[in-house]
Amino acid sequence: MQNLTAIDGEAGHSVIDSLKDVCPDLARYIIEFPFGDIYARPGLDLKSREIATVAALTALGHCAPQLKVHVNAALNIGCTPDEIKETVLQMAVYAGFPAALNAMFVVKEVLAERALL
Amino acid sequence: MQNLTAIDGEAGHSVIDSLKDVCPDLARYIIEFPFGDIYARPGLDLKSREIATVAALTALGHCAPQLKVHVNAALNIGCTPDEIKETVLQMAVYAGFPAALNAMFVVKEVLAERALL
Amino acid sequence: MQNLTAIDGEAGHSVIDSLKDVCPDLARYIIEFPFGDIYARPGLDLKSREIATVAALTALGHCAPQLKVHVNAALNIGCTPDEIKETVLQMAVYAGFPAALNAMFVVKEVLAERALL
Amino acid sequence: MQNLTAIDGEAGHSVIDSLKDVCPDLARYIIEFPFGDIYARPGLDLKSREIATVAALTALGHCAPQLKVHVNAALNIGCTPDEIKETVLQMAVYAGFPAALNAMFVVKEVLAERALL
Amino acid sequence: MQNLTAIDGEAGHSVIDSLKDVCPDLARYIIEFPFGDIYARPGLDLKSREIATVAALTALGHCAPQLKVHVNAALNIGCTPDEIKETVLQMAVYAGFPAALNAMFVVKEVLAERALL
Amino acid sequence: MQNLTAIDGEAGHSVIDSLKDVCPDLARYIIEFPFGDIYARPGLDLKSREIATVAALTALGHCAPQLKVHVNAALNIGCTPDEIKETVLQMAVYAGFPAALNAMFVVKEVLAERALL
């Protein structure tokens, strides 16, 4: 839960809250498995973990809400806007321009909300 | 072309060679766009670029040959085996266990070939 | 057409209607092939068919409108809200947490509309 | 740039413009690589190129904004509404009915905007 | 671990074993999360869980090894060959014929190995 | 069935045959729906239909056997090797380089088998 707060901030908590009435166990698994287990592991620093997640969510293409959470998370743990943009841009090579383009507009939205554009 | 050699080594060249008789222009675009343009950009270090690529290829799930090239590339430019394994493992969260499992077997194959297992 | 009515109810008919002016043949194929042929087949009961469909639409990740129709359909033919939630939750294992999460919010929307939350 | 104007018209320019403040280089790559390089190549006529793109964007399923641009582009370079609808309809076979259905509603939207429905 | 044995039999154990030298923690997560947590949950019977998994792995399309494990698992826990074939066949509607076709050949392989064809 | 023979030739028949013992109804649906219904429709010429299919199978990325059948089909109904290569190459833009690369190797295999390389 500490990891969730440190990494995802308010956005993470709002996802957890919105699961309360429909499937609290999904919320519990998200807290336990990705955040309790995976992000707490040694062997890969947190910045690299967020870059990997931003890359994967961009490539998968149907995860805009999660991408928004993780662009915020990446900024929260110290990634620069440029590092995030470069990660998304690079996905044009591996997942095509539409995936990169749609993700870049999510990045734009987050940067605008944080007055970082 | 220098980037291709430094990053992908022999495996990259063998992909380029095998395109010679069917579509040399695809080879040329691969040399120019991902390697000439993207990997040469400032704003994100090469280790992070390879972690992003390994993450995306794991998540996409139908890119085993390219994943093999980029696990090698990641090792070539200084990622540790642990960093690569952690990147792949983390994808279980975002793309599911089958994608992570299939990618981990590619990692195992590369590490075995390089006597790093 | 009877199958369509029994399974999808109003939502199915509204999809068919909205195709009238752009491509009525797509509507005809939907009535003939999935509903006339597939859902009418013996060998698998209708509840299992809807669970399979909810699972697949969750995993594919870009089918929110169809998922909404089939969460309703699953309820119409006797699946409990818990059976539907468990199906979606299980997809976190095979397609990742973002796919499961986005689908669970569609389930929440349908259950709220039917006052089943 | 000429290709972009001829093919995508206003919609293409508005995408390029909206990238200005977040990642102008992604805009530049889109102008250079797909439009400068690919669409300018001999070996496949422009109508076939647009049909290929509409087919791929329909099948990928998470590219509604790009599909809208390319349904417009296909009409701009001389595809008939029927050719576009048939391309999308055919994708039911290869990518499933939900992908074809969601794409057909994008086609409907574009045809309505151009008073071609 | 008991769930893994009951459901996946030898095939499951062989996956776990093959992860020992490359990433034992991925094996541990597979035992803990899908099998310890998800398949042990009430709310959906085991036959329905396997049908959901076969449907999702068919639709995702890049999971042949996992599909093979789960076609076996489905048979182990009491699904009939017909129920499995119908699940795969139905995916032609949602994920297209190629996905259904490739999965059906995996089903054929398993049924042949178990002399059920 | 005539369409199947004209378009897919031997390869199509071998797919149909290999389904005989596991799921003849899937074979029947393939003959009836894609070939009986879709490819027989007016509104889009057969060459454009094959280009659309090659594009989609390249973009989907997990359909190598079907892509092989349709590269052959495209050649059978009069597409040139260049038109097929250009279609696949263009998919680098929309589905990324790995998808285009893997498909190009399928094209290479077919062209070599037909001594067209």
Side-chain angles (χ1 to χ4, degrees), chain A residues 49-65:
Chain A
R49 289 197 181 277
E50 283 300 340
I51 280 167
T53 297
V54 166
L57 294 174
T58 298
L60 287 170
H62 55 260
C63 307

Side-chain angles (χ1 to χ4, degrees), chain B:
Chain B
M1 202 69 171
Q2 289 163 280
N3 273 317
L4 182 70
T5 306
I7 299 170
D8 282 3
E10 264 180 61
H13 282 280
S14 120
V15 169
I16 297 305
D17 283 346
S18 64
L19 286 168
K20 285 276 161 66
D21 51 357
V22 61
C23 190
D25 283 356
L26 178 53
R28 186 167 60 79
Y29 291 129
I30 291 173
I31 292 167
E32 285 176 11
F33 179 57
F35 290 100
D37 285 346
I38 301 293
Y39 282 82
R41 292 173 60 87
L44 189 67
D45 63 282
L46 214 46
K47 271 188 60 176
S48 299
R49 289 198 183 274
E50 283 301 338
I51 281 167
T53 297
V54 166
L57 294 174
T58 298
L60 287 170
H62 56 260
C63 307
Q66 289 76 35
L67 182 59
K68 196 175 171 185
V69 169
H70 280 281
V71 171
N72 272 301
L75 292 166
N76 291 347
I77 54 102
C79 290
T80 66
D82 266 10
E83 286 172 323
I84 297 167
K85 292 176 195 175
E86 288 296 322
T87 302
V88 168
L89 174 59
Q90 185 172 319
M91 292 305 108
V93 176
Y94 299 103
F97 280 91
L101 210 43
N102 292 334
M104 198 62 89
F105 290 131
V106 173
V107 173
K108 183 179 174 173
E109 193 189 330
V110 173
L111 294 180
E113 285 172 9
R114 297 172 75 129
L116 287 168
L117 208 58

Side-chain angles (χ1 to χ4, degrees), chain B residues 101 105 108, chain E residues 12-23:
Chain B
L101 210 43
F105 290 131
K108 183 179 174 173
Chain E
H13 281 280
S14 121
V15 169
I16 298 305
D17 283 346
S18 64
L19 286 168
K20 285 277 159 66
D21 50 357
V22 62
C23 190

Side-chain angles (χ1 to χ4, degrees), chain D residues 31-96:
Chain D
I31 293 168
E32 284 177 12
F33 179 56
F35 290 100
D37 286 346
I38 300 293
Y39 282 82
R41 292 174 61 86
L44 189 67
D45 63 283
L46 213 47
K47 269 188 61 176
S48 298
R49 288 197 183 277
E50 283 301 340
I51 281 167
T53 298
V54 167
L57 295 174
T58 299
L60 287 169
H62 56 261
C63 308
Q66 289 76 35
L67 183 59
K68 195 173 172 187
V69 168
H70 281 280
V71 171
N72 272 301
L75 293 166
N76 292 346
I77 54 103
C79 291
T80 66
D82 266 8
E83 287 173 323
I84 296 167
K85 291 176 195 175
E86 288 296 323
T87 302
V88 168
L89 174 58
Q90 185 171 318
M91 291 306 107
V93 176
Y94 299 103

